[in-house]
Amino acid sequence: MSNWVGNEGLSIIVILAWLAINAYLFWNFYLVYDEGERYVYSRDLYKSALAWARAPAACLNFNCLLILLPVCRNLLSFLRGSSACCGRSLRRQLDRNLTFHKMVAWMIALHTAIHTVAHLFNVERLVDARVEANGTIQAFLTDLEDKENETYLNFVRSRVPNPVGGIHVAFTFLAGLTGVVITLALILIITSSTKMIRRSYFEVFWYTHHLFVVFFIGLVIHGAGRIVRGQTAASLREHRPEVCRNNFTNWGEKPCPIPQFDGNEPMTWKWVVAPMALYLIERIIRFWRSQQKVVITKVVNHPFKTFELQMKMKGFKMEVGQYIFVQCPAVSSLEWHPFTLTSAPEEDFFSIHIRIVGDWTEGLAKVCGCDKTEFHRISVDGPFGTASEDVFSYEVAMLVGAGIGVTPFASILKSVWYKYCNNVSTLRLKKIYFYWLCRDTQAFEWFADLLQSLENQMQERNNADFLSYNIYLTGWDETQATAFSLHHDQEKDVITGLKQKTLYGRPNWENEFKTIGAAHASSRVGVFLCGPESLAETLSKLSIANSSVDPRGVNFIFNKENF
C-alpha cells in the first residue's frame, strides 16, 4: 500500500479532489436553481432545464480557472526549482501537467455539452411561452414589462415561433452569439488536439489551439447580458411565491404585488482573471526571452536524419534533462517546437539533437545546414524543467530511452562524466542502469561516442560498475541477429564499438526489475522514461508491482518526460 501511495497515490488524491470539487459545484448550483425561492417563477418558464444549464456553468468556471495553469511553463519551472516549497512528491505532480491539462479540457467539453443542450431546451420553452402559452402562468410571466413599473423574466420579446425564433435568439442576443462562437472554438481546439492531428499535421494543431484566446474572450462576456433572471430579494419580501403562485390572475393586488426580477451578476471573469493574468505574464516572459540573441556556434550532421545544433545565449542556465522551445522565422513565424537539451550544465554551450521527421524539421535542417555560410536567426524559449532533473536525488536510476527519446539522458550522462572528471565525491547517484531501444543501427552512431567516453572514464576511476547500459535493436529479424552474434566473442561490439554487446529484440522488463530490485533491496530507484505511452504504461505498472510494501525495502518511482 505504501508503494501505491508513493508511485501513484498523490496523483489519485489530486484527481479525486478535483472530481469532488466538480461534483460539489454541480450539485450545489443544481439545488440553488432547482429548489431556490428566487427561481420559483424562473422554473415555471424554464422547467428543470434551468438547473441543468446553470450547474455545469459553475463547473465550467472552475475548470476554466485551471486549464491555463498547467501550460504556464515558467511558473511550473519556478515551482520545480523552489525546493523549499516544492518537495519531490509535488514536483512529480508538476511533471504530469499536460495530462491534467487534457483531463480538464475533457471536463470542460463535457460541461459545455450539458450546458448547451440544456439551453437549447430553455430557448425553445421561452419562445413557446411568448408565442403559444396564452392564459397560463407562463404567459403572465412572459408579458411582464409590457407595462410600466414591471421588470421582465422572459428575455424573448419577438413572437416568432420555433425553430426560426430559437435561431433568432441564438444570433441576436449576446449570450447566444458568444455561446455559438465559444462552442465552435472549443470543438476546433479539441478535435485538432487528437494524437493523429498533432503528429501528422502539427501546424493545424498549433494554430487552432490558439483559438483559446477567442474562447476566453467569449466566455468572459457570455453572461454580460444577464438573461438568466430571478426574483429580487426586495420583491420576495412583498411577493411570496408559495402564496401568490397559484393566484397569478390577481397579481398587482394585495398581498401579491407584481413580482420584480433582475439578472444574475456575471461571475466568470472573477474565476478566470487570475489565471489569465498569469498566462499573460507567461507570454510576456516568453516574448522577451524569444527576442534574446541566439548564436549557433556549431551544426553537426549525424546519421539517421539527425543533426545537432550547438548554441549560446546570454544568461542561459540549464539543468540536466530540461527542454527548450525553438522557433525559426525563416521556416514559420508562429510555430514553436520543444526539444530536450542534450548538453550538460557544465558545458559552455547548450545543444539539441533534431531528427528530421516533418516539414518543419526538414525546413530547419535546410536553414541550418552545414554548407551554409550564414545562419538564419532562430529564437529560443526556456529552459523548462522536467522529471529528469530529479535523477541526481536518487542513489539508483533506471534510464529508458526509445529512439530519439535518448536525448534527455545524453544530458544526464554528460553531466555524470563531467562530475567524475572533476573528482566530485558528493554525487548521491551511485548506480545507473541505462536502456536504449532502437530499430536501426544508424541511430546508435551519434550517441556511441558519449557512451564510450563515459565507459573509459569509469574504468580509469576503477568504477566500471557505475554504469550498466543495455542497447537493444528492436527492428532486426533473427537472421540479422544471428549473423552479428558470430562476432559476440570479440572484445568490442561490432555495431557500437562498445564493450557491452548489443542485444536484439526487446527487454524482458519483468526480469530487469526483479534483478535491479534484488541488487538494491533497500533503495529508492528512480525510473525515468522518454518514450511511447505503451512503454510508459508497462514501466509504470512494473514499478508498482516490484516495489516493496515495506518503506525500508526497494521502491521504484516512475517518471516520464512530458512536453
Side-chain angles (χ1 to χ4, degrees):
M1 185 60 151
S2 62
N3 180 69
W4 179 82
V5 174
N7 271 298
E8 300 293 338
L10 188 56
S11 293
I12 298 298
I13 292 172
V14 169
I15 292 171
L16 290 177
W18 170 64
L19 291 174
I21 294 173
N22 273 279
Y24 168 77
L25 288 172
F26 192 98
W27 184 242
N28 182 65
F29 276 81
Y30 185 90
L31 292 180
V32 167
Y33 286 91
D34 192 57
E35 298 181 359
E37 187 180 33
R38 169 171 160 80
Y39 299 102
V40 169
Y41 292 129
S42 303
R43 290 193 293 273
D44 281 326
L45 283 177
Y46 292 93
K47 307 300 182 186
S48 61
L50 174 64
W52 281 103
R54 299 307 302 161
C59 295
L60 278 171
N61 289 339
F62 171 62
N63 286 283
C64 288
L65 176 151
L66 298 176
I67 191 70
L68 292 177
L69 297 180
V71 291
C72 289
R73 300 178 189 274
N74 286 291
L75 174 62
L76 298 182
S77 294
F78 171 77
L79 292 175
R80 281 193 60 86
S82 303
S83 57
C85 64
C86 186
R88 179 191 293 171
S89 296
L90 179 55
R91 290 201 304 272
R92 292 183 63 245
Q93 301 316 305
L94 297 178
D95 295 332
R96 297 182 174 92
N97 61 317
L98 293 185
T99 299
F100 188 64
H101 177 73
K102 294 172 186 176
M103 291 172 58
V104 173
W106 283 115
M107 186 66 80
I108 289 174
L110 172 64
H111 288 298
T112 298
I114 299 172
H115 180 75
T116 301
V117 170
H119 269 319
L120 290 176
F121 283 101
N122 288 332
V123 169
E124 179 185 26
R125 288 165 181 167
L126 293 179
V127 171
D128 287 343
R130 173 63 66 180
V131 174
E132 301 174 359
N134 296 325
T136 63
I137 190 172
Q138 288 81 11
F140 271 75
L141 292 170
T142 297
D143 289 339
L144 289 176
E145 206 185 41
D146 288 348
K147 301 176 182 178
E148 293 183 3
N149 299 321
E150 294 180 352
T151 56
Y152 70 93
L153 181 59
N154 186 344
F155 66 88
V156 176
R157 312 310 295 172
S158 63
R159 296 184 179 274
V160 180
N162 284 308
V164 177
I167 296 173
H168 180 265
V169 169
F171 289 96
T172 58
F173 285 86
L174 179 64
L177 188 59
T178 55
V180 170
V181 170
I182 61 180
T183 301
L184 289 176
L186 183 63
I187 291 172
L188 289 172
I189 290 170
I190 290 178
T191 54
S192 66
S193 299
T194 58
K195 185 178 293 186
M196 183 188 74
I197 297 295
R198 288 201 321 271
R199 291 186 175 179
S200 303
Y201 307 98
F202 185 83
E203 295 83 359
V204 175
F205 158 74
W206 182 257
Y207 293 134
T208 55
H209 221 64
H210 283 75
L211 287 172
F212 81 90
V213 176
V214 176
F215 177 85
F216 270 89
I217 292 174
L219 193 70
V220 169
I221 64 176
H222 181 58
R226 303 191 181 196
I227 60 174
V228 175
R229 300 168 68 82
Q231 194 172 353
T232 66
S235 177
L236 282 170
R237 290 193 292 267
E238 300 175 352
H239 179 113
R240 308 295 298 180
E242 66 271 19
V243 174
C244 303
R245 182 173 176 274
N246 294 325
N247 192 28
F248 60 87
T249 55
N250 294 321
W251 283 357
E253 303 174 3
K254 291 185 178 182
C256 297
I258 299 295
Q260 302 296 311
F261 302 91
D262 62 1
N264 291 341
E265 179 186 357
M267 297 294 294
T268 300
W269 70 271
K270 296 181 180 180
W271 288 82
V272 301
V273 65
M276 287 175 69
L278 283 174
Y279 191 78
L280 178 61
I281 295 171
E282 170 87 7
R283 300 301 296 193
I284 291 172
I285 293 173
R286 291 189 193 180
F287 176 78
W288 174 83
R289 190 182 285 154
S290 69
Q291 301 305 303
Q292 306 307 302
K293 184 179 180 180
V294 178
V295 178
I296 300 176
T297 58
K298 192 175 183 180
V299 180
V300 183
N301 278 330
H302 294 288
F304 203 56
K305 292 186 175 181
T306 301
F307 66 100
E308 176 185 358
L309 293 181
Q310 295 183 8
M311 298 164 281
K312 290 185 177 182
M313 186 172 75
K314 185 178 181 181
F316 188 92
K317 295 181 180 180
M318 62 164 288
E319 299 293 337
V320 294
Q322 291 187 324
Y323 67 98
I324 60 173
F325 279 86
V326 175
Q327 182 215 37
C328 181
V331 180
S332 173
S333 59
L334 295 177
E335 291 183 44
W336 290 82
H337 291 258
F339 295 96
T340 302
L341 291 163
T342 52
S343 53
E346 293 82 359
E347 293 174 313
D348 63 351
F349 63 89
F350 62 97
S351 66
I352 56 176
H353 283 69
I354 303 170
R355 185 179 174 188
I356 302 172
V357 292
D359 294 340
W360 190 88
T361 51
E362 185 176 352
L364 184 64
K366 290 179 180 178
V367 168
C368 297
C370 289
D371 57 337
K372 301 289 184 182
T373 58
E374 183 178 344
F375 295 124
H376 287 267
R377 179 182 178 272
I378 69 169
S379 300
V380 167
D381 182 23
F384 299 108
T386 68
S388 296
E389 284 185 56
D390 294 334
V391 68
F392 290 119
S393 65
Y394 295 92
E395 291 186 358
V396 183
M398 285 180 67
L399 312 180
V400 183
I404 198 67
V406 75
T407 49
F409 308 131
S411 175
I412 293 171
L413 294 178
K414 280 184 181 180
S415 187
V416 168
W417 187 85
Y418 280 111
K419 284 175 169 51
Y420 266 88
C421 285
N422 294 325
N423 293 314
V424 175
S425 58
T426 58
L427 189 63
R428 183 176 182 182
L429 185 61
K430 304 302 182 185
K431 178 69 176 180
I432 293 178
Y433 295 90
F434 175 59
Y435 300 84
W436 189 12
L437 286 62
C438 244
R439 291 188 57 82
D440 201 291
T441 57
Q442 291 175 307
F444 295 143
E445 297 180 27
W446 71 270
F447 197 63
D449 289 343
L450 171 61
L451 288 176
Q452 203 164 46
S453 297
L454 194 59
E455 186 178 66
N456 294 336
Q457 182 72 23
M458 295 302 110
Q459 287 178 342
E460 291 175 6
R461 305 285 178 181
N462 294 319
N463 196 11
D465 293 334
F466 175 82
L467 174 65
S468 295
Y469 57 89
N470 299 277
I471 300 175
Y472 287 84
L473 273 173
T474 60
W476 280 34
D477 57 34
E478 292 184 6
T479 303
Q480 292 170 304
T482 301
F484 275 95
S485 68
L486 297 175
H487 304 278
H488 190 77
D489 293 334
Q490 294 186 9
E491 183 180 355
K492 293 187 177 181
D493 186 75
V494 295
I495 296 177
T496 64
L498 298 167
K499 291 189 175 182
Q500 172 67 43
K501 305 304 181 187
T502 299
L503 304 170
Y504 304 96
R506 299 181 184 278
N508 185 326
W509 291 114
E510 182 70 40
N511 289 344
E512 297 296 329
F513 272 85
K514 289 187 180 302
T515 300
I516 294 172
H520 306 279
S522 59
S523 299
R524 292 172 65 85
V525 181
V527 182
F528 297 87
L529 168 69
C530 188
E533 290 296 331
S534 55
L535 183 55
E537 185 176 351
T538 298
L539 297 183
S540 178
K541 288 180 179 178
L542 288 172
S543 295
I544 297 171
N546 288 277
S547 293
S548 173
V549 295
D550 186 347
R552 295 170 296 181
V554 64
N555 275 272
F556 292 92
I557 311 299
F558 178 71
N559 303 271
K560 184 182 183 302
E561 294 294 307
N562 292 294
F563 46 71

